[in-house]
Amino acid sequence: MDILYLMILCSVSLAVIFLIIFIINARNGQFEDDESPAVRILLDSEIIKEDSKVSKEPESTEILKKRTEEKSD
């Protein structure tokens, strides 16, 4: 019977720890993603394909230029 109390105490403690971690991450903005990463990847690849057809620069420089333009706006 003592082991049952120990297991209940451990599981409740673990649940409280996970709850605290979740609350900290929620306050720091971890879960404020409006657009899922999978959709962002698809949108970025379409932009790169369009840009790479127009110019002959390496894709990495095109990505950097596009990101700096978006940040400056």
Side-chain angles (χ1 to χ4, degrees):
M1 193 65 168
D2 291 335
I3 192 71
L4 187 61
Y5 294 134
L6 180 64
M7 289 175 60
I8 291 171
L9 178 65
C10 289
S11 63
V12 169
S13 300
L14 188 62
V16 168
I17 290 170
F18 282 127
L19 179 65
I20 291 170
I21 291 171
F22 174 77
I23 290 171
I24 290 171
N25 286 331
R27 286 186 179 173
N28 289 336
Q30 179 72 28
F31 305 109
E32 293 180 2
D33 190 14
D34 295 331
E35 196 171 338
S36 70
V39 174
R40 272 200 318 256
I41 290 172
L42 293 174
L43 292 176
D44 285 342
S45 64
E46 290 175 3
I47 293 171
I48 292 170
K49 288 179 184 175
E50 291 173 5
D51 289 343
S52 63
K53 291 178 184 175
V54 174
S55 67
K56 295 181 180 180
E57 293 180 11
E59 290 183 4
S60 60
T61 56
E62 291 177 4
I63 293 170
L64 291 174
K65 285 181 182 179
K66 186 68 97 176
R67 288 184 182 167
T68 53
E69 290 174 2
E70 290 174 357
K71 288 180 182 179
S72 64
D73 293 338

